[in-house]
Amino acid sequence: MIQGSTLFVVSTPIGNLNDISLRAIEVLKAVQLIAAEDTRQTQKLLNHYGIKTRLTAFHDFSDHSAAQRLIQRLKNGDSIALVSDAGTPLISDPGFGLVVAARRAGLTVLPIPGPSAFVAALSVAGLPTDRFSFEGFLPAKPGPREKSLAALATEQRTMVFYEAPHRITRMLQACASHFESSRQVFVGRELTKRFEQHYSGTLTSALSWLAENNHHTKGEFVVVIAGGHESACQEARMKKAEAQVAELRQEMSMKKAVAFISAFLGLSKNELYRRVLEQDQ
Ligand code: SAM
């Protein structure tokens, strides 16, 4: 028996169908409805475990009324399981709007935890896990992607990315040009699946590994990149500050621009001033 009027956010396997919790199976069997990103995909999982619960399609493009219908059913006493195609819903997957709407309506929202590709990758990457930044998918368009990577130039925490097979090479090339190409990286390909592969090395050597064999660029990828060293990040922050001072100097005196930018970015005013003067010479 499970409690009524509850939205269960259920994690499902990221490749190996055995990676599902007993509780997830129990909940998927007991709820009145399963709201799935792609009903055909989820049907395979349900068939494997002999789960007969009714499925309905739900994704972030579903219109407002689709979410409202689910909320109404929850209010009427039904329980609903939200699942995505793989892993944990809401993690680069649909469901955020529904969870917000359920919470706003005062309904109970419970997690049924389980696999997520980024946690699986981090747990074996051999890069620091005490602090990390989950970046999901970088923007596909070059301009916004460059902007996101430029903003990460000063990131000292381990960074975790998702990437599609047709963009994996371009993504690592862009990372190698924004970070030092000697930066340590872990590439987790097809985690938990039959052709699972792990590559650890530098950004440069990872690109050679990708080019080595056609299969290396196929499938699903998690990329884990080491954070920058403090000194390298400080240098990147200073470079950014110098560029901003150069822009502001068109509007105000150099002294004022340096004072403003150093206060804004939390950098040493004297050091920034010294560097700007040096550049002028
Ligand atoms: N919600 C999922 C989760 O919790 O991990 C992520 C969904 S997102 C739409 C799909 C992306 O996750 C893939 O493009 C890939 O980057 C990553 N991914 C999912 N399964 C994976 C696997 N088995 N191996 C490597 N990466 C995977």
Side-chain angles (χ1 to χ4, degrees), residues 21-35:
S21 75
L22 295 175
R23 194 159 161 246
I25 296 173
E26 198 179 286
V27 165
L28 291 175
K29 279 185 175 162
V31 290
Q32 280 71 40
L33 187 67
I34 299 172

PDB file of all heavy atoms in Angstrom, residues 21-35:
ATOM      1  N   SER A  21      15.315   0.163  -8.126  1.00  0.00           N
ATOM      2  CA  SER A  21      15.160  -0.243  -6.717  1.00  0.00           C
ATOM      3  C   SER A  21      13.860  -1.027  -6.530  1.00  0.00           C
ATOM      4  O   SER A  21      12.901  -0.877  -7.303  1.00  0.00           O
ATOM      5  CB  SER A  21      15.182   0.982  -5.803  1.00  0.00           C
ATOM      6  OG  SER A  21      13.959   1.681  -5.895  1.00  0.00           O
ATOM      7  N   LEU A  22      13.843  -1.842  -5.478  1.00  0.00           N
ATOM      8  CA  LEU A  22      12.639  -2.624  -5.164  1.00  0.00           C
ATOM      9  C   LEU A  22      11.476  -1.680  -4.899  1.00  0.00           C
ATOM     10  O   LEU A  22      10.338  -1.936  -5.282  1.00  0.00           O
ATOM     11  CB  LEU A  22      12.899  -3.494  -3.920  1.00  0.00           C
ATOM     12  CG  LEU A  22      13.960  -4.579  -4.100  1.00  0.00           C
ATOM     13  CD1 LEU A  22      14.221  -5.305  -2.788  1.00  0.00           C
ATOM     14  CD2 LEU A  22      13.525  -5.569  -5.178  1.00  0.00           C
ATOM     15  N   ARG A  23      11.811  -0.563  -4.261  1.00  0.00           N
ATOM     16  CA  ARG A  23      10.762   0.407  -3.930  1.00  0.00           C
ATOM     17  C   ARG A  23      10.201   1.067  -5.198  1.00  0.00           C
ATOM     18  O   ARG A  23       9.002   1.335  -5.278  1.00  0.00           O
ATOM     19  CB  ARG A  23      11.354   1.454  -2.975  1.00  0.00           C
ATOM     20  CG  ARG A  23      10.316   2.289  -2.317  1.00  0.00           C
ATOM     21  CD  ARG A  23      10.858   2.925  -1.063  1.00  0.00           C
ATOM     22  NE  ARG A  23      10.029   4.048  -0.705  1.00  0.00           N
ATOM     23  CZ  ARG A  23      10.429   5.313  -0.718  1.00  0.00           C
ATOM     24  NH1 ARG A  23      11.669   5.607  -1.054  1.00  0.00           N
ATOM     25  NH2 ARG A  23       9.606   6.274  -0.378  1.00  0.00           N
ATOM     26  N   ALA A  24      11.079   1.314  -6.172  1.00  0.00           N
ATOM     27  CA  ALA A  24      10.603   1.911  -7.433  1.00  0.00           C
ATOM     28  C   ALA A  24       9.598   0.961  -8.090  1.00  0.00           C
ATOM     29  O   ALA A  24       8.531   1.400  -8.552  1.00  0.00           O
ATOM     30  CB  ALA A  24      11.783   2.180  -8.363  1.00  0.00           C
ATOM     31  N   ILE A  25       9.909  -0.328  -8.107  1.00  0.00           N
ATOM     32  CA  ILE A  25       8.989  -1.308  -8.727  1.00  0.00           C
ATOM     33  C   ILE A  25       7.658  -1.312  -7.972  1.00  0.00           C
ATOM     34  O   ILE A  25       6.578  -1.277  -8.574  1.00  0.00           O
ATOM     35  CB  ILE A  25       9.631  -2.722  -8.737  1.00  0.00           C
ATOM     36  CG1 ILE A  25      10.876  -2.714  -9.619  1.00  0.00           C
ATOM     37  CG2 ILE A  25       8.631  -3.771  -9.211  1.00  0.00           C
ATOM     38  CD1 ILE A  25      11.696  -3.994  -9.570  1.00  0.00           C
ATOM     39  N   GLU A  26       7.773  -1.316  -6.635  1.00  0.00           N
ATOM     40  CA  GLU A  26       6.579  -1.330  -5.779  1.00  0.00           C
ATOM     41  C   GLU A  26       5.683  -0.115  -6.077  1.00  0.00           C
ATOM     42  O   GLU A  26       4.475  -0.250  -6.259  1.00  0.00           O
ATOM     43  CB  GLU A  26       7.096  -1.263  -4.342  1.00  0.00           C
ATOM     44  CG  GLU A  26       6.173  -1.657  -3.233  1.00  0.00           C
ATOM     45  CD  GLU A  26       6.958  -1.516  -1.929  1.00  0.00           C
ATOM     46  OE1 GLU A  26       7.816  -2.369  -1.663  1.00  0.00           O
ATOM     47  OE2 GLU A  26       6.733  -0.508  -1.206  1.00  0.00           O
ATOM     48  N   VAL A  27       6.307   1.056  -6.151  1.00  0.00           N
ATOM     49  CA  VAL A  27       5.544   2.295  -6.378  1.00  0.00           C
ATOM     50  C   VAL A  27       4.947   2.306  -7.786  1.00  0.00           C
ATOM     51  O   VAL A  27       3.775   2.659  -7.971  1.00  0.00           O
ATOM     52  CB  VAL A  27       6.446   3.540  -6.137  1.00  0.00           C
ATOM     53  CG1 VAL A  27       5.828   4.798  -6.711  1.00  0.00           C
ATOM     54  CG2 VAL A  27       6.707   3.707  -4.650  1.00  0.00           C
ATOM     55  N   LEU A  28       5.746   1.891  -8.791  1.00  0.00           N
ATOM     56  CA  LEU A  28       5.231   1.885 -10.173  1.00  0.00           C
ATOM     57  C   LEU A  28       4.032   0.942 -10.307  1.00  0.00           C
ATOM     58  O   LEU A  28       3.130   1.182 -11.107  1.00  0.00           O
ATOM     59  CB  LEU A  28       6.343   1.504 -11.166  1.00  0.00           C
ATOM     60  CG  LEU A  28       7.464   2.537 -11.334  1.00  0.00           C
ATOM     61  CD1 LEU A  28       8.566   2.005 -12.245  1.00  0.00           C
ATOM     62  CD2 LEU A  28       6.932   3.864 -11.884  1.00  0.00           C
ATOM     63  N   LYS A  29       4.034  -0.130  -9.504  1.00  0.00           N
ATOM     64  CA  LYS A  29       2.899  -1.070  -9.540  1.00  0.00           C
ATOM     65  C   LYS A  29       1.678  -0.498  -8.818  1.00  0.00           C
ATOM     66  O   LYS A  29       0.542  -0.732  -9.212  1.00  0.00           O
ATOM     67  CB  LYS A  29       3.290  -2.385  -8.847  1.00  0.00           C
ATOM     68  CG  LYS A  29       4.079  -3.317  -9.739  1.00  0.00           C
ATOM     69  CD  LYS A  29       4.342  -4.649  -9.068  1.00  0.00           C
ATOM     70  CE  LYS A  29       5.024  -5.590 -10.048  1.00  0.00           C
ATOM     71  NZ  LYS A  29       5.675  -6.715  -9.378  1.00  0.00           N
ATOM     72  N   ALA A  30       1.937   0.273  -7.756  1.00  0.00           N
ATOM     73  CA  ALA A  30       0.834   0.668  -6.879  1.00  0.00           C
ATOM     74  C   ALA A  30       0.122   1.967  -7.271  1.00  0.00           C
ATOM     75  O   ALA A  30      -1.051   2.147  -6.936  1.00  0.00           O
ATOM     76  CB  ALA A  30       1.365   0.797  -5.442  1.00  0.00           C
ATOM     77  N   VAL A  31       0.823   2.859  -7.990  1.00  0.00           N
ATOM     78  CA  VAL A  31       0.175   4.137  -8.322  1.00  0.00           C
ATOM     79  C   VAL A  31      -0.951   3.916  -9.330  1.00  0.00           C
ATOM     80  O   VAL A  31      -0.999   2.887 -10.011  1.00  0.00           O
ATOM     81  CB  VAL A  31       1.187   5.172  -8.903  1.00  0.00           C
ATOM     82  CG1 VAL A  31       2.143   5.665  -7.839  1.00  0.00           C
ATOM     83  CG2 VAL A  31       1.945   4.584 -10.088  1.00  0.00           C
ATOM     84  N   GLN A  32      -1.839   4.919  -9.420  1.00  0.00           N
ATOM     85  CA  GLN A  32      -2.959   4.817 -10.368  1.00  0.00           C
ATOM     86  C   GLN A  32      -2.504   5.171 -11.789  1.00  0.00           C
ATOM     87  O   GLN A  32      -3.108   4.752 -12.760  1.00  0.00           O
ATOM     88  CB  GLN A  32      -4.102   5.761  -9.954  1.00  0.00           C
ATOM     89  CG  GLN A  32      -4.994   5.224  -8.835  1.00  0.00           C
ATOM     90  CD  GLN A  32      -4.286   5.215  -7.488  1.00  0.00           C
ATOM     91  OE1 GLN A  32      -3.560   6.153  -7.166  1.00  0.00           O
ATOM     92  NE2 GLN A  32      -4.491   4.155  -6.726  1.00  0.00           N
ATOM     93  N   LEU A  33      -1.429   5.977 -11.890  1.00  0.00           N
ATOM     94  CA  LEU A  33      -1.009   6.458 -13.212  1.00  0.00           C
ATOM     95  C   LEU A  33       0.495   6.714 -13.211  1.00  0.00           C
ATOM     96  O   LEU A  33       1.048   7.187 -12.212  1.00  0.00           O
ATOM     97  CB  LEU A  33      -1.757   7.766 -13.513  1.00  0.00           C
ATOM     98  CG  LEU A  33      -1.597   8.369 -14.898  1.00  0.00           C
ATOM     99  CD1 LEU A  33      -2.245   7.466 -15.958  1.00  0.00           C
ATOM    100  CD2 LEU A  33      -2.245   9.762 -14.962  1.00  0.00           C
ATOM    101  N   ILE A  34       1.128   6.414 -14.355  1.00  0.00           N
ATOM    102  CA  ILE A  34       2.552   6.776 -14.511  1.00  0.00           C
ATOM    103  C   ILE A  34       2.633   7.850 -15.591  1.00  0.00           C
ATOM    104  O   ILE A  34       2.177   7.636 -16.729  1.00  0.00           O
ATOM    105  CB  ILE A  34       3.409   5.553 -14.920  1.00  0.00           C
ATOM    106  CG1 ILE A  34       3.338   4.467 -13.830  1.00  0.00           C
ATOM    107  CG2 ILE A  34       4.862   5.976 -15.170  1.00  0.00           C
ATOM    108  CD1 ILE A  34       3.994   3.143 -14.227  1.00  0.00           C
ATOM    109  N   ALA A  35       3.178   9.008 -15.229  1.00  0.00           N
ATOM    110  CA  ALA A  35       3.372  10.097 -16.198  1.00  0.00           C
ATOM    111  C   ALA A  35       4.793   9.956 -16.729  1.00  0.00           C
ATOM    112  O   ALA A  35       5.761  10.093 -15.976  1.00  0.00           O
ATOM    113  CB  ALA A  35       3.170  11.446 -15.518  1.00  0.00           C
TER     114      ALA A  35
END
